[in-house]
Amino acid sequence: MGFKNIEKKSLGYKLLYIWTQFWHNIVFYRKVIVLNKDNIPVSDNVIFTPNHQNALMDATALLFTIPRQLVFMARADIFAKPAIAAILYFLKILPIYRSRDGKQEVKKNEAVFRRTVDVLTAGNGLVILPEGSHEGVHRLRPLKKGFARIAFQTEELNDFSLDIKIVPVGIDYSNYQDFRSELLVNFGPPLAVRDFYPLYKENPARAMNALKDALAERIKTLIVHIESSDYYDLYDELKDIYNQRMCDRLGLPDAKQPNKLKAGQEFVRLLSRFEKERPQEIPGLYELVKNYSNKRNQLGLTDDLIAKGKISLSEILPKLVLLLLVLPLFVYGWLNHILPWGITVRAGKKIKDPQFKSSFKFAVSLLVFPVFYLIQTLVAVFVFETWWVWWAYLLSLPVSAIVAWWWHAAFLRLKKNWRFYRLSKKSSTDYAQMVADYNQIIEKAEEITSI
């Protein structure tokens, strides 16, 4: 599988896809939520254009939620080494040459655009990340013209007969780096490139800008988009603090996704309006929220615990008893997974770019867990003579992994509950100030959402 037949299906790619999709959708992420999948055209030639927050995980988010084979486009310089290029082509990634690569290199784009025609007409989807680079923020950054240039020039090479649709995609993560976090993929109504043909024939640059601007507006409706630069942290923190109450105010049944997205979008809209109408109050609110979040983090608490107000021993003790009862199963699972999990965590820690950490954790865990399962099962074969013991041990590995992960997460929650209980019983100045700050923040948020 190479440049000349990248649109073709292969058995090797399909087998890799099945295993990787399972690891991505079932193991690595706790929950994958897909919204508005009916916005994906069934038979049209489609270019998917998601926001770009989390390095390679943005690509896998589309790869494993769209029911068609996808081909991605990436900058050409990473194809410089033939061995790397061969791997990238196998993974269905095409090069795109930029002006900084030199005029001679840019001329190679014509061949690439011809390949995109084959990709599209074979029923594949083309994926282009229009922001050009990643950043872990709840904001759509300015889009590059690359996707528009590819769409128009591919159409131009085919006398504008392909009727390409641009599908905007919004991607959101409950946590960028953590294993077992939540992923949300939100598809928007497609843009028809043909609507911009008249302008393109008159002025290509204006048409590309018009398509770029239209796409940006659509992606913003699919994500939490925080426009403010000076007070980004205020918006991001306050929308989470007020999330449950905002969901209640909107009449949503709970504060989980996709309701969390709706509540976040509405709260950001209202806070933005408040900032425009009463800008003099924003600096003070920013300091209040910053001081509160610092104290909360120092004390190791969460917003939902603080909102609860108090917790009793009768709530803590049953959870403690359950954890003690399950402790032997946790120890079994922990001992069997300490090496593959340790290697995965260590790989993530070595990465300096925080947005690449989850990509490396995903790739490493995808490889090391099955390898260790195989090695451990072979050891069992040599140790035990009975065949059913081998199979029982192999089947116990994923089950014990689930139990160990549940136990660890429950233990951390119980630890926070116990800390909250102790602090609420003490006359701690820091705790009292944090609660006072929280109540003041909620009072201000109620004012912001009531104007």
mmCIF file with all atom_site columns, all heavy atoms in Angstrom, residues 206-228:
data_model
loop_
_atom_site.group_PDB
_atom_site.id
_atom_site.type_symbol
_atom_site.label_atom_id
_atom_site.label_alt_id
_atom_site.label_comp_id
_atom_site.label_asym_id
_atom_site.label_entity_id
_atom_site.label_seq_id
_atom_site.pdbx_PDB_ins_code
_atom_site.Cartn_x
_atom_site.Cartn_y
_atom_site.Cartn_z
_atom_site.occupancy
_atom_site.B_iso_or_equiv
_atom_site.pdbx_formal_charge
_atom_site.auth_seq_id
_atom_site.auth_comp_id
_atom_site.auth_asym_id
_atom_site.auth_atom_id
_atom_site.pdbx_PDB_model_num
ATOM 1   N N   . ARG A 1 206 ? -10.438 35.391 -2.508 1.00 0.00 ? 206 ARG A N   1
ATOM 2   C CA  . ARG A 1 206 ? -11.656 35.765 -1.767 1.00 0.00 ? 206 ARG A CA  1
ATOM 3   C C   . ARG A 1 206 ? -12.533 34.550 -1.497 1.00 0.00 ? 206 ARG A C   1
ATOM 4   O O   . ARG A 1 206 ? -13.130 34.417 -0.433 1.00 0.00 ? 206 ARG A O   1
ATOM 5   C CB  . ARG A 1 206 ? -12.446 36.818 -2.548 1.00 0.00 ? 206 ARG A CB  1
ATOM 6   C CG  . ARG A 1 206 ? -11.870 38.237 -2.457 1.00 0.00 ? 206 ARG A CG  1
ATOM 7   C CD  . ARG A 1 206 ? -12.732 39.221 -3.232 1.00 0.00 ? 206 ARG A CD  1
ATOM 8   N NE  . ARG A 1 206 ? -14.104 39.213 -2.744 1.00 0.00 ? 206 ARG A NE  1
ATOM 9   C CZ  . ARG A 1 206 ? -15.159 39.649 -3.440 1.00 0.00 ? 206 ARG A CZ  1
ATOM 10  N NH1 . ARG A 1 206 ? -14.988 40.098 -4.671 1.00 0.00 ? 206 ARG A NH1 1
ATOM 11  N NH2 . ARG A 1 206 ? -16.358 39.620 -2.911 1.00 0.00 ? 206 ARG A NH2 1
ATOM 12  N N   . ALA A 1 207 ? -12.622 33.649 -2.462 1.00 0.00 ? 207 ALA A N   1
ATOM 13  C CA  . ALA A 1 207 ? -13.439 32.447 -2.295 1.00 0.00 ? 207 ALA A CA  1
ATOM 14  C C   . ALA A 1 207 ? -12.877 31.556 -1.182 1.00 0.00 ? 207 ALA A C   1
ATOM 15  O O   . ALA A 1 207 ? -13.629 31.000 -0.368 1.00 0.00 ? 207 ALA A O   1
ATOM 16  C CB  . ALA A 1 207 ? -13.508 31.675 -3.605 1.00 0.00 ? 207 ALA A CB  1
ATOM 17  N N   . MET A 1 208 ? -11.547 31.420 -1.144 1.00 0.00 ? 208 MET A N   1
ATOM 18  C CA  . MET A 1 208 ? -10.922 30.604 -0.096 1.00 0.00 ? 208 MET A CA  1
ATOM 19  C C   . MET A 1 208 ? -11.182 31.210 1.281  1.00 0.00 ? 208 MET A C   1
ATOM 20  O O   . MET A 1 208 ? -11.490 30.497 2.238  1.00 0.00 ? 208 MET A O   1
ATOM 21  C CB  . MET A 1 208 ? -9.422  30.483 -0.348 1.00 0.00 ? 208 MET A CB  1
ATOM 22  C CG  . MET A 1 208 ? -9.075  29.614 -1.539 1.00 0.00 ? 208 MET A CG  1
ATOM 23  S SD  . MET A 1 208 ? -7.281  29.494 -1.796 1.00 0.00 ? 208 MET A SD  1
ATOM 24  C CE  . MET A 1 208 ? -7.243  28.867 -3.481 1.00 0.00 ? 208 MET A CE  1
ATOM 25  N N   . ASN A 1 209 ? -11.081 32.540 1.363  1.00 0.00 ? 209 ASN A N   1
ATOM 26  C CA  . ASN A 1 209 ? -11.351 33.209 2.642  1.00 0.00 ? 209 ASN A CA  1
ATOM 27  C C   . ASN A 1 209 ? -12.811 33.065 3.047  1.00 0.00 ? 209 ASN A C   1
ATOM 28  O O   . ASN A 1 209 ? -13.123 32.863 4.228  1.00 0.00 ? 209 ASN A O   1
ATOM 29  C CB  . ASN A 1 209 ? -10.974 34.687 2.562  1.00 0.00 ? 209 ASN A CB  1
ATOM 30  C CG  . ASN A 1 209 ? -9.475  34.914 2.678  1.00 0.00 ? 209 ASN A CG  1
ATOM 31  O OD1 . ASN A 1 209 ? -8.788  34.175 3.386  1.00 0.00 ? 209 ASN A OD1 1
ATOM 32  N ND2 . ASN A 1 209 ? -8.962  35.909 1.981  1.00 0.00 ? 209 ASN A ND2 1
ATOM 33  N N   . ALA A 1 210 ? -13.702 33.152 2.070  1.00 0.00 ? 210 ALA A N   1
ATOM 34  C CA  . ALA A 1 210 ? -15.135 33.028 2.360  1.00 0.00 ? 210 ALA A CA  1
ATOM 35  C C   . ALA A 1 210 ? -15.461 31.627 2.870  1.00 0.00 ? 210 ALA A C   1
ATOM 36  O O   . ALA A 1 210 ? -16.210 31.463 3.842  1.00 0.00 ? 210 ALA A O   1
ATOM 37  C CB  . ALA A 1 210 ? -15.953 33.342 1.105  1.00 0.00 ? 210 ALA A CB  1
ATOM 38  N N   . LEU A 1 211 ? -14.886 30.603 2.223  1.00 0.00 ? 211 LEU A N   1
ATOM 39  C CA  . LEU A 1 211 ? -15.110 29.229 2.662  1.00 0.00 ? 211 LEU A CA  1
ATOM 40  C C   . LEU A 1 211 ? -14.490 29.001 4.041  1.00 0.00 ? 211 LEU A C   1
ATOM 41  O O   . LEU A 1 211 ? -15.092 28.347 4.909  1.00 0.00 ? 211 LEU A O   1
ATOM 42  C CB  . LEU A 1 211 ? -14.516 28.260 1.636  1.00 0.00 ? 211 LEU A CB  1
ATOM 43  C CG  . LEU A 1 211 ? -14.658 26.763 1.945  1.00 0.00 ? 211 LEU A CG  1
ATOM 44  C CD1 . LEU A 1 211 ? -16.121 26.376 2.168  1.00 0.00 ? 211 LEU A CD1 1
ATOM 45  C CD2 . LEU A 1 211 ? -14.045 25.919 0.830  1.00 0.00 ? 211 LEU A CD2 1
ATOM 46  N N   . LYS A 1 212 ? -13.314 29.550 4.252  1.00 0.00 ? 212 LYS A N   1
ATOM 47  C CA  . LYS A 1 212 ? -12.628 29.429 5.549  1.00 0.00 ? 212 LYS A CA  1
ATOM 48  C C   . LYS A 1 212 ? -13.467 30.050 6.663  1.00 0.00 ? 212 LYS A C   1
ATOM 49  O O   . LYS A 1 212 ? -13.650 29.455 7.732  1.00 0.00 ? 212 LYS A O   1
ATOM 50  C CB  . LYS A 1 212 ? -11.258 30.100 5.463  1.00 0.00 ? 212 LYS A CB  1
ATOM 51  C CG  . LYS A 1 212 ? -10.466 30.135 6.766  1.00 0.00 ? 212 LYS A CG  1
ATOM 52  C CD  . LYS A 1 212 ? -9.053  30.613 6.532  1.00 0.00 ? 212 LYS A CD  1
ATOM 53  C CE  . LYS A 1 212 ? -9.005  32.067 6.117  1.00 0.00 ? 212 LYS A CE  1
ATOM 54  N NZ  . LYS A 1 212 ? -9.265  32.987 7.268  1.00 0.00 ? 212 LYS A NZ  1
ATOM 55  N N   . ASP A 1 213 ? -14.001 31.252 6.412  1.00 0.00 ? 213 ASP A N   1
ATOM 56  C CA  . ASP A 1 213 ? -14.806 31.939 7.423  1.00 0.00 ? 213 ASP A CA  1
ATOM 57  C C   . ASP A 1 213 ? -16.110 31.188 7.705  1.00 0.00 ? 213 ASP A C   1
ATOM 58  O O   . ASP A 1 213 ? -16.547 31.084 8.859  1.00 0.00 ? 213 ASP A O   1
ATOM 59  C CB  . ASP A 1 213 ? -15.116 33.367 6.969  1.00 0.00 ? 213 ASP A CB  1
ATOM 60  C CG  . ASP A 1 213 ? -13.866 34.246 6.907  1.00 0.00 ? 213 ASP A CG  1
ATOM 61  O OD1 . ASP A 1 213 ? -12.850 33.861 7.508  1.00 0.00 ? 213 ASP A OD1 1
ATOM 62  O OD2 . ASP A 1 213 ? -13.913 35.300 6.244  1.00 0.00 ? 213 ASP A OD2 1
ATOM 63  N N   . ALA A 1 214 ? -16.721 30.656 6.657  1.00 0.00 ? 214 ALA A N   1
ATOM 64  C CA  . ALA A 1 214 ? -17.973 29.911 6.823  1.00 0.00 ? 214 ALA A CA  1
ATOM 65  C C   . ALA A 1 214 ? -17.736 28.649 7.657  1.00 0.00 ? 214 ALA A C   1
ATOM 66  O O   . ALA A 1 214 ? -18.544 28.301 8.531  1.00 0.00 ? 214 ALA A O   1
ATOM 67  C CB  . ALA A 1 214 ? -18.560 29.554 5.458  1.00 0.00 ? 214 ALA A CB  1
ATOM 68  N N   . LEU A 1 215 ? -16.624 27.979 7.387  1.00 0.00 ? 215 LEU A N   1
ATOM 69  C CA  . LEU A 1 215 ? -16.316 26.770 8.148  1.00 0.00 ? 215 LEU A CA  1
ATOM 70  C C   . LEU A 1 215 ? -16.031 27.104 9.612  1.00 0.00 ? 215 LEU A C   1
ATOM 71  O O   . LEU A 1 215 ? -16.496 26.397 10.516 1.00 0.00 ? 215 LEU A O   1
ATOM 72  C CB  . LEU A 1 215 ? -15.104 26.061 7.537  1.00 0.00 ? 215 LEU A CB  1
ATOM 73  C CG  . LEU A 1 215 ? -14.638 24.804 8.295  1.00 0.00 ? 215 LEU A CG  1
ATOM 74  C CD1 . LEU A 1 215 ? -15.721 23.737 8.296  1.00 0.00 ? 215 LEU A CD1 1
ATOM 75  C CD2 . LEU A 1 215 ? -13.341 24.263 7.698  1.00 0.00 ? 215 LEU A CD2 1
ATOM 76  N N   . ALA A 1 216 ? -15.291 28.168 9.856  1.00 0.00 ? 216 ALA A N   1
ATOM 77  C CA  . ALA A 1 216 ? -14.964 28.560 11.232 1.00 0.00 ? 216 ALA A CA  1
ATOM 78  C C   . ALA A 1 216 ? -16.237 28.805 12.045 1.00 0.00 ? 216 ALA A C   1
ATOM 79  O O   . ALA A 1 216 ? -16.347 28.353 13.194 1.00 0.00 ? 216 ALA A O   1
ATOM 80  C CB  . ALA A 1 216 ? -14.087 29.813 11.227 1.00 0.00 ? 216 ALA A CB  1
ATOM 81  N N   . GLU A 1 217 ? -17.200 29.495 11.456 1.00 0.00 ? 217 GLU A N   1
ATOM 82  C CA  . GLU A 1 217 ? -18.451 29.770 12.168 1.00 0.00 ? 217 GLU A CA  1
ATOM 83  C C   . GLU A 1 217 ? -19.197 28.490 12.497 1.00 0.00 ? 217 GLU A C   1
ATOM 84  O O   . GLU A 1 217 ? -19.804 28.367 13.560 1.00 0.00 ? 217 GLU A O   1
ATOM 85  C CB  . GLU A 1 217 ? -19.333 30.712 11.338 1.00 0.00 ? 217 GLU A CB  1
ATOM 86  C CG  . GLU A 1 217 ? -18.795 32.128 11.244 1.00 0.00 ? 217 GLU A CG  1
ATOM 87  C CD  . GLU A 1 217 ? -18.508 32.733 12.611 1.00 0.00 ? 217 GLU A CD  1
ATOM 88  O OE1 . GLU A 1 217 ? -19.404 32.684 13.487 1.00 0.00 ? 217 GLU A OE1 1
ATOM 89  O OE2 . GLU A 1 217 ? -17.383 33.244 12.816 1.00 0.00 ? 217 GLU A OE2 1
ATOM 90  N N   . ARG A 1 218 ? -19.145 27.520 11.606 1.00 0.00 ? 218 ARG A N   1
ATOM 91  C CA  . ARG A 1 218 ? -19.857 26.263 11.865 1.00 0.00 ? 218 ARG A CA  1
ATOM 92  C C   . ARG A 1 218 ? -19.164 25.430 12.937 1.00 0.00 ? 218 ARG A C   1
ATOM 93  O O   . ARG A 1 218 ? -19.826 24.823 13.776 1.00 0.00 ? 218 ARG A O   1
ATOM 94  C CB  . ARG A 1 218 ? -20.008 25.463 10.572 1.00 0.00 ? 218 ARG A CB  1
ATOM 95  C CG  . ARG A 1 218 ? -20.944 26.137 9.596  1.00 0.00 ? 218 ARG A CG  1
ATOM 96  C CD  . ARG A 1 218 ? -21.689 25.172 8.726  1.00 0.00 ? 218 ARG A CD  1
ATOM 97  N NE  . ARG A 1 218 ? -22.592 25.906 7.839  1.00 0.00 ? 218 ARG A NE  1
ATOM 98  C CZ  . ARG A 1 218 ? -23.325 25.351 6.896  1.00 0.00 ? 218 ARG A CZ  1
ATOM 99  N NH1 . ARG A 1 218 ? -23.271 24.040 6.712  1.00 0.00 ? 218 ARG A NH1 1
ATOM 100 N NH2 . ARG A 1 218 ? -24.130 26.079 6.151  1.00 0.00 ? 218 ARG A NH2 1
ATOM 101 N N   . ILE A 1 219 ? -17.836 25.394 12.912 1.00 0.00 ? 219 ILE A N   1
ATOM 102 C CA  . ILE A 1 219 ? -17.128 24.610 13.937 1.00 0.00 ? 219 ILE A CA  1
ATOM 103 C C   . ILE A 1 219 ? -17.373 25.211 15.320 1.00 0.00 ? 219 ILE A C   1
ATOM 104 O O   . ILE A 1 219 ? -17.523 24.475 16.309 1.00 0.00 ? 219 ILE A O   1
ATOM 105 C CB  . ILE A 1 219 ? -15.613 24.536 13.638 1.00 0.00 ? 219 ILE A CB  1
ATOM 106 C CG1 . ILE A 1 219 ? -15.359 23.778 12.336 1.00 0.00 ? 219 ILE A CG1 1
ATOM 107 C CG2 . ILE A 1 219 ? -14.869 23.853 14.787 1.00 0.00 ? 219 ILE A CG2 1
ATOM 108 C CD1 . ILE A 1 219 ? -13.898 23.704 11.923 1.00 0.00 ? 219 ILE A CD1 1
ATOM 109 N N   . LYS A 1 220 ? -17.441 26.532 15.403 1.00 0.00 ? 220 LYS A N   1
ATOM 110 C CA  . LYS A 1 220 ? -17.654 27.187 16.702 1.00 0.00 ? 220 LYS A CA  1
ATOM 111 C C   . LYS A 1 220 ? -18.965 26.766 17.353 1.00 0.00 ? 220 LYS A C   1
ATOM 112 O O   . LYS A 1 220 ? -19.080 26.754 18.582 1.00 0.00 ? 220 LYS A O   1
ATOM 113 C CB  . LYS A 1 220 ? -17.620 28.708 16.533 1.00 0.00 ? 220 LYS A CB  1
ATOM 114 C CG  . LYS A 1 220 ? -16.232 29.269 16.286 1.00 0.00 ? 220 LYS A CG  1
ATOM 115 C CD  . LYS A 1 220 ? -16.281 30.775 16.014 1.00 0.00 ? 220 LYS A CD  1
ATOM 116 C CE  . LYS A 1 220 ? -14.909 31.324 15.673 1.00 0.00 ? 220 LYS A CE  1
ATOM 117 N NZ  . LYS A 1 220 ? -14.938 32.788 15.357 1.00 0.00 ? 220 LYS A NZ  1
ATOM 118 N N   . THR A 1 221 ? -19.959 26.412 16.534 1.00 0.00 ? 221 THR A N   1
ATOM 119 C CA  . THR A 1 221 ? -21.252 25.984 17.100 1.00 0.00 ? 221 THR A CA  1
ATOM 120 C C   . THR A 1 221 ? -21.199 24.552 17.628 1.00 0.00 ? 221 THR A C   1
ATOM 121 O O   . THR A 1 221 ? -22.129 24.108 18.302 1.00 0.00 ? 221 THR A O   1
ATOM 122 C CB  . THR A 1 221 ? -22.369 26.073 16.036 1.00 0.00 ? 221 THR A CB  1
ATOM 123 O OG1 . THR A 1 221 ? -22.121 25.111 14.996 1.00 0.00 ? 221 THR A OG1 1
ATOM 124 C CG2 . THR A 1 221 ? -22.433 27.462 15.429 1.00 0.00 ? 221 THR A CG2 1
ATOM 125 N N   . LEU A 1 222 ? -20.106 23.834 17.340 1.00 0.00 ? 222 LEU A N   1
ATOM 126 C CA  . LEU A 1 222 ? -20.007 22.428 17.716 1.00 0.00 ? 222 LEU A CA  1
ATOM 127 C C   . LEU A 1 222 ? -19.136 22.203 18.945 1.00 0.00 ? 222 LEU A C   1
ATOM 128 O O   . LEU A 1 222 ? -19.031 21.075 19.434 1.00 0.00 ? 222 LEU A O   1
ATOM 129 C CB  . LEU A 1 222 ? -19.417 21.622 16.546 1.00 0.00 ? 222 LEU A CB  1
ATOM 130 C CG  . LEU A 1 222 ? -20.135 21.757 15.201 1.00 0.00 ? 222 LEU A CG  1
ATOM 131 C CD1 . LEU A 1 222 ? -19.356 21.040 14.108 1.00 0.00 ? 222 LEU A CD1 1
ATOM 132 C CD2 . LEU A 1 222 ? -21.554 21.209 15.283 1.00 0.00 ? 222 LEU A CD2 1
ATOM 133 N N   . ILE A 1 223 ? -18.507 23.266 19.444 1.00 0.00 ? 223 ILE A N   1
ATOM 134 C CA  . ILE A 1 223 ? -17.573 23.155 20.562 1.00 0.00 ? 223 ILE A CA  1
ATOM 135 C C   . ILE A 1 223 ? -17.852 24.261 21.568 1.00 0.00 ? 223 ILE A C   1
ATOM 136 O O   . ILE A 1 223 ? -18.667 25.156 21.321 1.00 0.00 ? 223 ILE A O   1
ATOM 137 C CB  . ILE A 1 223 ? -16.107 23.270 20.083 1.00 0.00 ? 223 ILE A CB  1
ATOM 138 C CG1 . ILE A 1 223 ? -15.869 24.650 19.439 1.00 0.00 ? 223 ILE A CG1 1
ATOM 139 C CG2 . ILE A 1 223 ? -15.758 22.158 19.112 1.00 0.00 ? 223 ILE A CG2 1
ATOM 140 C CD1 . ILE A 1 223 ? -14.413 24.923 19.061 1.00 0.00 ? 223 ILE A CD1 1
ATOM 141 N N   . VAL A 1 224 ? -17.183 24.202 22.698 1.00 0.00 ? 224 VAL A N   1
ATOM 142 C CA  . VAL A 1 224 ? -17.135 25.350 23.603 1.00 0.00 ? 224 VAL A CA  1
ATOM 143 C C   . VAL A 1 224 ? -16.038 26.259 23.077 1.00 0.00 ? 224 VAL A C   1
ATOM 144 O O   . VAL A 1 224 ? -14.860 25.896 23.080 1.00 0.00 ? 224 VAL A O   1
ATOM 145 C CB  . VAL A 1 224 ? -16.838 24.911 25.046 1.00 0.00 ? 224 VAL A CB  1
ATOM 146 C CG1 . VAL A 1 224 ? -16.613 26.146 25.929 1.00 0.00 ? 224 VAL A CG1 1
ATOM 147 C CG2 . VAL A 1 224 ? -17.975 24.065 25.601 1.00 0.00 ? 224 VAL A CG2 1
ATOM 148 N N   . HIS A 1 225 ? -16.441 27.445 22.607 1.00 0.00 ? 225 HIS A N   1
ATOM 149 C CA  . HIS A 1 225 ? -15.483 28.374 22.008 1.00 0.00 ? 225 HIS A CA  1
ATOM 150 C C   . HIS A 1 225 ? -15.358 29.597 22.903 1.00 0.00 ? 225 HIS A C   1
ATOM 151 O O   . HIS A 1 225 ? -16.298 30.388 23.037 1.00 0.00 ? 225 HIS A O   1
ATOM 152 C CB  . HIS A 1 225 ? -15.945 28.792 20.607 1.00 0.00 ? 225 HIS A CB  1
ATOM 153 C CG  . HIS A 1 225 ? -15.092 29.867 19.990 1.00 0.00 ? 225 HIS A CG  1
ATOM 154 N ND1 . HIS A 1 225 ? -13.803 29.630 19.567 1.00 0.00 ? 225 HIS A ND1 1
ATOM 155 C CD2 . HIS A 1 225 ? -15.361 31.182 19.748 1.00 0.00 ? 225 HIS A CD2 1
ATOM 156 C CE1 . HIS A 1 225 ? -13.308 30.752 19.086 1.00 0.00 ? 225 HIS A CE1 1
ATOM 157 N NE2 . HIS A 1 225 ? -14.221 31.705 19.191 1.00 0.00 ? 225 HIS A NE2 1
ATOM 158 N N   . ILE A 1 226 ? -14.182 29.750 23.535 1.00 0.00 ? 226 ILE A N   1
ATOM 159 C CA  . ILE A 1 226 ? -13.921 30.880 24.430 1.00 0.00 ? 226 ILE A CA  1
ATOM 160 C C   . ILE A 1 226 ? -13.130 31.925 23.657 1.00 0.00 ? 226 ILE A C   1
ATOM 161 O O   . ILE A 1 226 ? -11.943 31.738 23.374 1.00 0.00 ? 226 ILE A O   1
ATOM 162 C CB  . ILE A 1 226 ? -13.162 30.417 25.689 1.00 0.00 ? 226 ILE A CB  1
ATOM 163 C CG1 . ILE A 1 226 ? -14.000 29.385 26.449 1.00 0.00 ? 226 ILE A CG1 1
ATOM 164 C CG2 . ILE A 1 226 ? -12.826 31.613 26.583 1.00 0.00 ? 226 ILE A CG2 1
ATOM 165 C CD1 . ILE A 1 226 ? -13.281 28.752 27.632 1.00 0.00 ? 226 ILE A CD1 1
ATOM 166 N N   . GLU A 1 227 ? -13.786 33.005 23.315 1.00 0.00 ? 227 GLU A N   1
ATOM 167 C CA  . GLU A 1 227 ? -13.172 34.047 22.499 1.00 0.00 ? 227 GLU A CA  1
ATOM 168 C C   . GLU A 1 227 ? -12.140 34.853 23.278 1.00 0.00 ? 227 GLU A C   1
ATOM 169 O O   . GLU A 1 227 ? -11.105 35.264 22.755 1.00 0.00 ? 227 GLU A O   1
ATOM 170 C CB  . GLU A 1 227 ? -14.260 34.983 21.969 1.00 0.00 ? 227 GLU A CB  1
ATOM 171 C CG  . GLU A 1 227 ? -13.839 35.846 20.802 1.00 0.00 ? 227 GLU A CG  1
ATOM 172 C CD  . GLU A 1 227 ? -13.845 35.096 19.479 1.00 0.00 ? 227 GLU A CD  1
ATOM 173 O OE1 . GLU A 1 227 ? -14.834 34.441 19.159 1.00 0.00 ? 227 GLU A OE1 1
ATOM 174 O OE2 . GLU A 1 227 ? -12.812 35.189 18.774 1.00 0.00 ? 227 GLU A OE2 1
ATOM 175 N N   . SER A 1 228 ? -12.419 35.114 24.549 1.00 0.00 ? 228 SER A N   1
ATOM 176 C CA  . SER A 1 228 ? -11.565 35.981 25.359 1.00 0.00 ? 228 SER A CA  1
ATOM 177 C C   . SER A 1 228 ? -10.153 35.423 25.511 1.00 0.00 ? 228 SER A C   1
ATOM 178 O O   . SER A 1 228 ? -9.966  34.247 25.834 1.00 0.00 ? 228 SER A O   1
ATOM 179 C CB  . SER A 1 228 ? -12.179 36.164 26.750 1.00 0.00 ? 228 SER A CB  1
ATOM 180 O OG  . SER A 1 228 ? -11.329 36.938 27.570 1.00 0.00 ? 228 SER A OG  1
#
